[in-house]
Amino acid sequence: MGFFRRLAATARLWWRVMRMQRVTREGWFYLAFTLAVGVAAINTGNNLLYLVLGLLVSVLLLSAFLSETVLSRLRIERELPPFGVVGQPLRVGIVVHNRKRRLASHSLVISEIGIEGARTYVTRVGPGESVRAYWVGVQPRRGALALHGFRITTRFPFGLFEKSREVALAGRVPIHPSGVLSARTTKLLPRSLGPIPVPAPGRGLDFHALREYRQGDDLRQIHWKATARTGRLFAVEKERELQRRVTLVVDTRAAESAEALDGAADLVVGLSRRLVAEGCEVGLRLPDDEIPPAGGRAQLRRIADLAARMAPAPRTAPPPQPFPGTLGMVVPLAAAPPPPAESRPPAPRWIPPSQGRLDLHGIQKWAVLLSLGLALGSLSISGELAGGLAILFALVALVSFVRDRAILGPRLANVVTVGAFLSTVLAVVALDLDVMLVAPGFVMLLASVRLLARKGPGDDVLLLLMALMMLAGGAALTGELSYGILFAGFAVVGTIALATTHLRREVEAVGGPAASRAPGTVTGALLAFLAGISLFVLVGSIALFVTFPRVSVGLLARNDGPVVRGGSERIELGGVGVLKDDPTPVMRVRFAGETPSREIYWRTTVFDRWDGKGWSKASVPRRVVPGGGGIFFFHGGTNQGVEAEVEVLRDVPTLPVFGSPISLRFFTRRGQPPPRLAAYDDGTLEVSNPPSPLRYRLRTSVEPLRSVGGENPDAYRHVPSGLDPRIRRLADSFGTSDPESLARSMVAWLQRENRYTRELPGEVEDPLAHFLFERKEGHCEFFASALTLLLRLRGIPARVVAGYYGVSWVEAGEYWVVREGDAHAWTEAWVPGKGWVLLDATPAEERPGHAEGAWASLVQWMDVWRMRWANWVLDFDAKTQGRLMRQIGRSLAGVWGALAQGRIVFRILAVGAVGAALAFALIALLRRLEKRPGRRRTNSADRRRATLLYRRIRARLRTRGIDLGASATASDWAAAARKSLPSEEARAVAHAIQAYQEARFGDRPLDAERMRRLLRLLH
Amino acid sequence: MSSTELRPLVPDVARLPLTPREARSLRDSVVANVEKVLVGKQEAVIRSLVAIAAKGHLLLEDVPGVGKSSLAHALARSFGLPLSRIQFTSDLLPSDVLGVSTWDAEARRFVFRKGPIFQHVVLADELNRTPPRTQSALLEAMAERQVSLDGETRPLPDPFFVIATLNPQEQQGTYPLPESQLDRFLLRLTLGYPDADSERKLLVARRLEDPVSTLGAVASLADVLRLQAAARDVRLDESVADYVLSIANATRRDPRFSLGASTRGALALAAAARAHALLMGRGFVLPEDVKALAVPVLAHRVVVSGRDDGAAGAAEVIEDLLHSLPVPE
């Protein structure tokens, strides 16, 4: 039974603790948004949305954790003044001790329970530090101020959740009456003191009488002026100073309530002050209490304490009488109470951290602007955003932040917002626009309106939420690698922006708009802390992204794969200029098993008709390649052939294959329609419903092309009329008639007689004849055309094939790449009994190789990263997740060898290092923007050096764990060094500090050499 | 009350300023000398020397019996300067302080008999026990450094140094000094009880006779003049001057103070910082000097709102203020 009772007690405790949590208005928006993004991510399976979701959730986790640690292990004490006075500001002190050893507590609102408006705000309490805060109130009535306890509330770090804790701590401050006497009462005063004492001789100060000097009188009494005048000794007599003792008598039995006694209390305090000032001793007698007469300040306080407490006495009490030997003064009860002083509710006070140099306002402003910029960037790289709109938005943001004041009024802003919303809905419904395309524009419009109507940090929170929306929009619309970089930047900067916005809101709510501009609101330690948590958010986003279970429920959003064009192509000989060696990758290839030799010819287009200037392609029949489920078979071959995995990156005319394809298998994703493959009679392939991304596994035989598709060599015999007769004579000049040897001799001749160049011949009438007989140099298309025509002139069917030649190895990515610059043209000739034979007339040494140079390497390197981005982020699915988990598990459990293979770990480390570098750069930049306390004219070089030296000394000491604030002097730093550093080092520090002092404030010079020496001694 | 004959003033030729090193050794010897009488109060002795060097006057406010008079006597004897002690009672007349013209019957003229104030070192004991009229007599003479009576102006000796002691305000029968009068004192010190070791040493070593009477001189009147001249020449950098002003401005603007430091206060802080730097053996002022002297110089010149413990409370608030003000680098 006791167990259940304990359980109930724990549950009640938890309920009470949970009741102290509250979600703010922004917190609700944020939660709703996170939910929406989560649903969208699960529905679409878009991995980038998972990344954004990771960011949102890690911010939430951090919020919950941090607000808990901020409130933990705090001890609060009160510092009460001994008393307060009616109508005068009363300052109640609160001391907050942070008992944590490593963590600081930030952004605390401390309010008194039960007293409205008594609050104060502490920006930061460092670990082990104590901060004194206070609130000031004005009490309207005498009596006592009863204090019950505090509530400590924090909304740190992002203002999404509010957590409070209550501390019971009773206290009591007596409130004295003001004792201000009205003019009328002051006039009554002498009369009430009774008969005026008769002047009598005594030892006072005032002149009383002159008389003759008597024997025994004090020599000091001699009045010399009178003595000089009369020739006889005269003495002065002073007036007796009466020591008056007065008792103030108040008959409180006649009062109905304590309020009725207020006037009498004021009179008591005022009278006692006057009397004591005139040298009297004053006492107080009430029916139920008394204070014996005495003088001095302590007596005044005692009387005031009692006057504050004065309450009606019971009628059975004896009537009050003056003390024996004193003059009695009866204080009338009916005296008019003083006019009620207006009691303003206490103004909240703000305690700035005393050690900072930076100001909050600037940092927060630029952090929010930067976040908006990053979010805009992430949205615009998708390409779905009109460039003009993006530039307009950027301008609006800049103007709004530089001007820092609202440009639109709030009502106008609301009108524009509603109008924008309505017009967007109208556009989507009436024009049937895609919501995903309209939504970014709508969000940006909303954000622009808010930017123009921006009044303060409250609007900034909404702006940051809108930036998050833009970020999510960017995730849904794009798949670029650059998004990842912008996302990482946003994770760091956006967190800092959100935290500083929260701080600024709190500070300005308490200290007014100017408070956040004051230097000293931000310390370096706080900035470091913020950078740390933003790093955590970044790492958390990635970790959550990796671990979120992938359940793809709907269609994939990614549909930006390359297109397989169809249509007619042409090759034109002639033209001006130089063929570019374009390093842009077209395909990535991986070979299973052995890598074939470099002589890989990728066929994409086959040309059959020469018209004197160029080649064209007639329409060729095609038939469907049998297969299903993404796998297609070409011809039954016993030969295993070579297996290659191909990923096509750019638009191609047909599906590139090499050799004689045996089978082809597409990599499709769930939800995509199955692709269909068709083969033309010339051997090229066309695919409908190509999967996105376009990846397939090709099994092919590397023997020269055999009969693929239908054999119709006669289509490739045509020779146009009007051909230059020299070509016919050249064709006839070759001796043999055997097709194969004829072809080979033609190839040999072409390669021998002509040179390869990328330069184009310019505009010529007959480019081919020009090439063969005059110029004798050209690029691959010339060679292929020449061979084809020569063969055709001898009656051998021949055709020009265009495509790509060869593969190049990319070490960084461990794959082979085919570039645009690898585009090539060659010839195929029909040899009876063999089929189509591949002939390449271009000189072998000059065939396109891999492009060299810095630019090409850069393009290649970027492609490697794009491949990795696509593999590990965009296409991160459950299978990859499982693989990653297994790999992590293996590398964690394994030894160094396993770790070397687990490149995943290195990738995560690399991301972490990049994030850390970003954070450090940010901090360094912000440190450089420090405001100096006031503008000074330039000092001489020595003093400047001295100041620099001092800064370096302090930076060095900070790395050794010594950090004093800006109010510590150089000697304090030296003393701290002496205390905690080894003696050798402490001496070097003391020496350096002495040099600094002499140079900075004295006139001892400090040259650069000496400064360097001193600095060297420190390290 | 006691008074002695004045020594003639030294000629100007001997007023060569002390070097910082000489000043520091002077400080060391005076501190060691006073230590024989007042154990464990080096800080107070150094601050007294600051007041002397800055040509200011010293206010000692403390409970009775902690060595206020001993300090004054020891200082005067260390410099070989005669001290006249004025015990302020409630019936003291201004003429008792300043002097009085008496009628000489034989010579048939008035002869001015100088009061105890005409001395190099004046100990004004329990200044707040005497009515305001007598207080003003002393304070005006301190400010003007001359006494005008019966139509004649008589200058006070140079160097002229007043040590005034005050009883704590809670006690009866005191006439508190208003702030405008307190402003005339450069520094306010509290001695406090000695620490355990010092008090024990005192009890064990104290012989029957008063050690003050056997104390010798370690410096001379000329040294005082040279010290004062050197203190004027100490270099005060602009940034340190700004620091002084920032402290003064902070007391004027902070809502905890109902009356902030006056310009006289800021000047006093600068002068005291200069003297302190010199006594530390430096020819230039550091922010440390300003920070160390801010409370002694300013605590009695400001009024804290809502508190009635006078300068002691102000000291606390000024300490707090110093922690929030950045030091020039």
Side-chain angles (χ1 to χ4, degrees):
Chain A
M1 201 47 63
F3 167 72
F4 283 110
R5 214 173 300 147
R6 264 200 304 252
L7 198 66
T10 316
R12 263 204 304 277
L13 184 67
W14 269 104
W15 174 241
R16 218 170 42 133
V17 168
M18 289 304 286
R19 247 185 341 152
M20 301 281 206
Q21 309 257 34
R22 206 174 70 87
V23 182
T24 62
R25 191 179 68 126
E26 292 79 24
W28 285 119
F29 282 149
Y30 187 87
L31 282 175
F33 183 64
T34 309
L35 202 62
V37 168
V39 165
I42 292 178
N43 190 42
T44 62
N46 184 337
N47 273 308
L48 293 182
L49 278 180
Y50 276 108
L51 204 56
V52 173
L53 184 66
L55 171 69
L56 295 171
V57 171
S58 40
V59 163
L60 278 177
L61 287 178
L62 196 64
S63 253
F65 173 70
L66 272 182
S67 52
E68 184 55 52
T69 58
V70 155
L71 286 184
S72 72
R73 298 192 70 183
L74 289 177
R75 193 179 72 214
I76 304 204
E77 286 171 351
R78 256 201 236 284
E79 274 185 356
L80 290 175
F83 62 89
V85 178
V86 169
Q88 283 194 11
L90 171 68
R91 198 172 84 122
V92 177
I94 300 174
V95 181
V96 182
H97 301 279
N98 182 2
R99 296 211 318 266
K100 301 192 277 283
R101 249 183 313 178
R102 261 180 269 277
L103 278 179
S105 283
H106 297 92
S107 191
L108 299 168
V109 176
I110 305 172
S111 46
E112 292 275 352
I113 299 176
I115 300 175
E116 192 204 298
R119 0 186 260 280
T120 168
Y121 176 74
V122 176
T123 315
R124 181 188 139 97
V125 188
E129 274 179 20
S130 310
V131 166
R132 256 196 200 85
Y134 60 92
W135 59 271
V136 174
V138 173
Q139 299 302 314
R141 262 207 79 229
R142 66 172 180 111
L145 178 66
L147 303 164
H148 311 288
F150 310 99
R151 178 175 299 118
I152 317 170
T153 310
T154 183
R155 281 190 275 266
F156 192 74
F158 304 120
L160 299 175
F161 300 103
E162 193 180 271
K163 238 194 224 219
S164 350
R165 222 183 80 186
E166 283 189 0
V167 175
L169 190 64
R172 198 172 160 280
V173 182
I175 308 292
H176 294 170
S178 59
V180 171
L181 299 175
S182 61
R184 198 162 55 97
T185 326
T186 321
K187 267 190 270 178
L188 294 170
L189 203 53
R191 247 187 284 154
S192 46
L193 277 181
I196 298 172
V198 174
R203 295 187 74 236
L205 280 176
D206 296 323
F207 179 83
H208 175 60
L210 276 179
R211 58 166 172 77
E212 285 234 9
Y213 180 82
R214 287 200 287 270
Q215 194 66 265
D217 269 342
D218 194 354
L219 281 174
R220 290 185 299 158
Q221 280 180 281
I222 299 178
H223 194 266
W224 293 105
K225 287 213 171 76
T227 308
R229 257 186 298 142
T230 59
R232 295 198 304 280
L233 275 176
F234 265 86
V236 105
E237 259 189 337
K238 302 282 187 174
E239 222 175 81
R240 164 181 59 144
E241 243 181 66
L242 276 185
Q243 191 69 9
R244 290 184 286 210
R245 301 173 86 225
V246 177
T247 305
L248 295 171
V249 172
V250 188
D251 194 350
T252 54
R253 296 173 303 165
E256 305 96 41
S257 63
E259 278 77 24
L261 286 172
D262 280 353
D266 264 298
L267 258 183
V268 164
V269 172
L271 282 175
S272 58
R273 276 202 207 129
R274 274 295 295 272
L275 290 169
V276 168
E278 289 183 8
C280 297
E281 287 185 351
V282 184
L284 179 62
R285 249 254 172 89
L286 301 175
D288 48 3
D289 212 339
E290 68 182 28
I291 298 179
R297 235 176 239 239
Q299 177 71 353
L300 281 177
R301 201 195 291 191
R302 280 190 289 265
I303 291 178
D305 271 338
L306 185 50
R309 290 200 304 268
M310 218 156 62
R315 292 195 184 263
T316 53
Q321 298 294 331
F323 286 97
T326 67
L327 201 62
M329 263 179 74
V330 177
V331 177
L333 288 181
E342 32 89 24
S343 92
R344 312 184 300 273
R349 295 266 163 215
W350 166 54
I351 309 299
S354 54
Q355 300 152 351
R357 282 193 127 93
L358 303 166
D359 89 298
L360 185 58
H361 182 99
I363 292 178
Q364 184 261 345
K365 200 167 73 157
W366 294 111
V368 173
L369 186 60
L370 198 58
S371 313
L372 277 175
L374 285 170
L376 177 68
S378 72
L379 194 53
S380 41
I381 56 173
S382 67
E384 304 284 350
L385 202 59
L389 205 60
I391 294 178
L392 191 67
F393 180 78
L395 277 176
V396 165
L398 261 177
V399 163
S400 162
F401 274 92
V402 167
R403 219 177 112 80
D404 219 6
R405 259 203 312 256
I407 300 174
L408 277 184
R411 210 174 327 160
L412 190 57
N414 285 338
V415 164
V416 174
T417 309
V418 168
F421 182 67
L422 286 176
S423 54
T424 312
V425 168
L426 207 65
V428 168
V429 166
L431 302 174
D432 200 19
L433 291 175
D434 186 6
V435 178
M436 285 306 296
L437 295 178
V438 174
F442 175 64
V443 170
M444 279 177 48
L445 193 58
L446 275 187
S448 311
V449 170
R450 192 118 304 269
L451 274 171
L452 290 174
R454 184 174 159 264
K455 286 189 298 290
D459 293 309
D460 287 343
V461 178
L462 290 174
L463 280 174
L464 283 172
L465 279 176
M466 282 184 217
L468 274 172
M469 277 191 242
M470 282 160 56
L471 194 75
L477 292 174
T478 188
E480 294 285 325
L481 169 65
S482 31
Y483 180 86
I485 299 173
L486 289 169
F487 173 84
F490 186 90
V492 171
V493 175
T495 311
I496 293 185
L498 202 55
T500 49
T501 307
H502 155 74
L503 279 177
R504 195 178 144 200
R505 281 185 84 188
E506 298 283 345
V507 163
E508 285 190 2
V510 180
S516 64
R517 285 177 202 270
T521 42
V522 175
T523 65
L526 176 67
L527 264 187
F529 183 73
L530 287 180
I533 60 177
S534 61
L535 213 60
F536 173 83
V537 165
L538 179 63
V539 171
S541 323
I542 297 173
L544 281 166
F545 165 81
V546 165
T547 51
F548 256 118
R550 296 295 195 273
V551 272
S552 194
V553 174
L555 286 173
L556 274 180
R558 202 153 88 88
N559 51 2
D560 55 352
V563 165
V564 177
R565 305 190 298 263
S568 59
E569 297 265 309
R570 243 190 97 76
I571 285 186
E572 286 277 345
L573 296 185
V576 190
V578 181
L579 276 185
K580 284 205 218 19
D581 191 359
D582 190 349
T584 315
V586 178
M587 291 183 275
R588 295 190 200 120
V589 185
R590 282 200 173 85
F591 293 104
E594 264 187 35
T595 315
S597 75
R598 295 286 189 91
E599 300 225 348
I600 299 177
Y601 288 84
W602 301 86
R603 302 172 86 244
T604 59
T605 323
V606 177
F607 297 96
D608 61 350
R609 190 154 291 269
W610 170 250
D611 60 17
K613 283 254 202 281
W615 292 92
S616 60
K617 174 178 133 148
S619 159
V620 176
R622 64 166 193 197
R623 51 186 179 73
V624 172
V625 178
I631 309 180
F632 302 90
F633 299 93
F634 293 89
H635 66 279
T638 53
N639 199 344
Q640 284 295 82
V642 168
E643 193 172 292
E645 217 174 273
V646 180
E647 182 175 353
V648 178
L649 302 172
R650 300 175 58 84
D651 295 349
V652 285
T654 64
L655 202 69
V657 292
F658 68 98
S660 299
I662 301 169
S663 73
L664 192 130
R665 180 212 163 130
F666 286 102
F667 290 104
T668 55
R669 309 186 78 88
R670 212 183 327 179
Q672 288 182 330
R676 287 202 308 276
L677 198 61
Y680 289 98
D681 271 359
D682 59 11
T684 53
L685 301 173
E686 184 199 71
V687 57
S688 32
N689 293 333
S692 170
L694 184 52
R695 286 193 9 220
Y696 52 93
R697 185 176 288 140
L698 172 71
R699 186 180 287 281
T700 182
S701 143
V702 291
E703 292 160 12
L705 201 61
R706 298 285 178 198
S707 36
V708 171
E711 296 173 15
N712 189 12
D714 294 323
Y716 301 99
R717 288 176 188 276
H718 175 258
V719 177
S721 54
L723 201 62
D724 193 314
R726 292 179 289 176
I727 306 182
R728 185 172 287 279
R729 278 200 298 275
L730 175 62
D732 291 332
S733 71
F734 291 96
T736 66
S737 58
D738 168 45
E740 212 167 332
S741 46
L742 180 61
R744 292 202 199 289
S745 52
M746 282 180 175
V747 166
W749 185 89
L750 280 170
Q751 290 185 351
R752 199 179 53 238
E753 292 291 320
N754 303 286
R755 222 171 52 82
Y756 181 84
T757 177
R758 281 182 175 270
E759 281 182 43
L760 298 176
E763 288 303 323
V764 265
E765 188 56 41
D766 190 342
L768 193 59
H770 178 77
F771 161 70
L772 281 172
F773 305 111
E774 282 142 42
R775 195 166 175 239
K776 288 195 164 291
E777 61 180 18
H779 63 278
C780 52
E781 285 168 357
F782 281 98
F783 286 91
S785 314
L787 181 60
T788 310
L789 277 175
L790 287 173
L791 284 168
R792 284 191 184 181
L793 284 169
R794 289 294 293 265
I796 301 172
R799 60 193 185 184
V800 167
V801 182
Y804 301 91
Y805 169 72
V807 286
S808 328
W809 175 244
V810 177
E811 180 64 47
E814 296 183 359
Y815 57 82
W816 301 88
V817 74
V818 176
R819 302 183 172 88
E820 291 281 16
D822 295 336
H824 193 44
W826 59 93
T827 309
E828 283 172 355
W830 175 259
V831 173
K834 271 195 178 176
W836 290 101
V837 174
L838 193 147
L839 300 161
D840 197 341
T842 316
E845 326 72 69
E846 304 292 353
R847 283 188 208 142
H850 39 266
E852 301 293 341
W855 176 247
S857 320
L858 182 69
V859 169
Q860 192 54 61
W861 180 84
M862 283 192 55
D863 182 64
V864 170
W865 276 104
R866 261 196 222 102
M867 179 204 65
R868 290 183 178 152
W869 170 255
N871 283 343
W872 287 106
V873 179
L874 291 184
D875 302 334
F876 194 79
D877 59 359
K879 209 167 69 173
T880 326
Q881 202 172 32
R883 214 165 6 124
L884 175 63
M885 296 305 192
R886 276 196 299 275
Q887 207 146 1
I888 288 178
R890 254 182 299 163
S891 43
L892 284 180
V895 292
W896 280 115
L899 196 70
Q901 282 171 15
R903 282 177 239 120
I904 324 300
V905 182
F906 287 152
R907 285 199 193 107
I908 295 184
L909 283 177
V911 170
V914 163
L918 264 176
F920 283 135
L922 202 64
I923 294 178
L925 183 67
L926 288 170
R927 276 227 142 102
R928 248 168 238 289
L929 295 176
E930 278 183 13
K931 275 212 175 83
R932 273 155 242 270
R935 312 266 176 266
R936 290 283 146 245
R937 61 169 175 83
T938 49
N939 296 320
S940 76
D942 284 320
R943 273 180 246 145
R944 256 191 310 236
R945 261 194 292 268
T947 311
L948 197 62
L949 174 64
Y950 187 42
R951 289 218 188 108
R952 294 247 179 95
I953 297 174
R954 281 181 298 169
R956 170 93 187 123
L957 287 177
R958 276 192 206 110
T959 66
R960 306 283 274 127
I962 301 172
D963 197 354
L964 310 175
S967 65
T969 60
S971 312
D972 296 334
W973 283 91
R978 221 180 4 251
K979 235 193 319 171
S980 9
L981 295 182
S983 61
E984 188 65 46
E985 218 179 322
R987 238 176 303 140
V989 169
H991 193 53
I993 284 186
Q994 192 186 352
Y996 150 72
Q997 286 175 333
E998 285 169 356
R1000 175 71 181 83
F1001 301 107
D1003 42 17
R1004 174 123 183 252
L1006 176 70
D1007 57 13
E1009 177 56 43
R1010 186 150 159 260
M1011 178 168 124
R1012 256 175 274 142
R1013 230 182 315 133
L1014 288 166
L1015 282 173
R1016 234 177 300 147
L1017 280 175
L1018 283 180
H1019 290 270
Chain B
M1 250 185 322
S2 64
S3 64
T4 55
E5 280 303 316
L6 280 174
R7 300 211 192 116
L9 296 171
V10 286
D12 289 335
V13 165
R15 290 189 191 213
L16 281 171
L18 287 176
T19 65
R21 192 168 308 166
E22 289 174 344
R24 190 169 63 195
S25 67
L26 174 70
R27 171 200 96 196
D28 287 334
S29 47
V30 169
V31 167
N33 204 27
V34 173
E35 186 82 5
K36 297 180 198 159
V37 171
L38 207 58
V39 185
K41 295 274 175 242
Q42 292 91 342
E43 195 59 49
V45 177
I46 292 176
R47 286 185 183 165
S48 315
L49 287 174
V50 166
I52 294 177
K55 290 186 97 159
H57 304 288
L58 189 64
L59 188 64
L60 290 174
E61 185 172 349
D62 222 327
V63 291
V66 291
K68 304 194 286 291
S69 320
S70 310
L71 175 64
H73 281 288
L75 277 175
R77 289 192 83 94
S78 300
F79 282 102
L81 293 173
L83 176 139
S84 76
R85 177 197 177 119
I86 310 176
Q87 181 72 41
F88 281 79
T89 55
S90 46
D91 66 341
L92 201 69
L93 301 171
S95 58
D96 296 331
V97 175
L98 299 176
V100 68
S101 296
T102 57
W103 176 252
D104 190 346
E106 291 93 38
R108 300 193 66 78
R109 60 184 169 83
F110 278 101
V111 171
F112 182 72
R113 303 194 65 202
K114 295 196 166 158
I117 201 176
F118 284 86
Q119 190 58 277
H120 286 291
V121 183
V122 174
L123 172 61
D125 228 348
E126 296 186 281
L127 185 54
N128 56 350
R129 257 189 202 289
T130 191
R133 210 163 77 176
T134 321
Q135 286 174 355
S136 333
L138 172 72
L139 295 164
E140 273 174 47
M142 271 166 55
E144 312 271 312
R145 289 178 189 257
Q146 64 193 17
V147 169
S148 303
L149 271 187
D150 299 338
E152 258 190 71
T153 307
R154 296 174 179 83
L156 290 171
D158 184 22
F160 178 61
F161 183 55
V162 173
I163 306 175
T165 66
L166 290 183
N167 286 330
Q169 286 181 325
E170 284 74 45
Q171 301 196 354
Q172 288 193 33
T174 58
Y175 294 86
L177 264 74
E179 297 78 33
S180 53
Q181 307 280 40
L182 284 172
D183 222 359
R184 299 189 196 277
F185 290 94
L186 184 76
L187 287 182
R188 170 188 171 272
L189 293 186
T190 51
L191 287 172
Y193 298 116
D195 60 89
D197 289 330
S198 310
E199 209 161 8
R200 192 188 307 123
K201 232 194 290 182
L202 212 57
L203 286 175
V204 166
R206 184 62 78 102
R207 298 174 291 276
L208 277 177
E209 79 265 11
D210 189 0
V212 176
S213 52
T214 60
L215 210 57
V218 294
S220 68
L221 186 147
D223 290 324
V224 176
L225 292 172
R226 295 173 69 199
L227 187 66
Q228 288 175 344
R232 270 199 304 270
D233 294 334
V234 173
R235 187 169 185 280
L236 181 69
D237 189 68
E238 257 201 31
S239 53
V240 184
D242 284 327
Y243 185 43
V244 169
L245 286 176
S246 72
I247 298 177
N249 276 326
T251 62
R252 292 170 198 163
R253 274 198 256 116
D254 197 302
R256 290 178 278 183
F257 294 99
S258 61
L259 179 71
S262 60
T263 312
R264 190 191 284 148
L267 283 170
L269 184 53
R274 280 195 163 105
H276 189 264
L278 179 67
L279 288 170
M280 292 295 136
R282 275 182 269 116
F284 50 91
V285 181
L286 289 180
E288 284 83 330
D289 301 314
V290 175
K291 207 173 173 194
L293 287 172
V295 166
V297 170
L298 293 178
H300 58 288
R301 299 171 199 263
V302 299
V303 175
V304 180
S305 46
R307 282 172 88 142
D308 65 346
D309 48 358
E316 246 183 66
V317 182
I318 294 178
E319 289 271 11
D320 207 23
L321 202 68
L322 284 174
H323 278 129
S324 65
L325 284 174
V327 167
E329 50 171 23

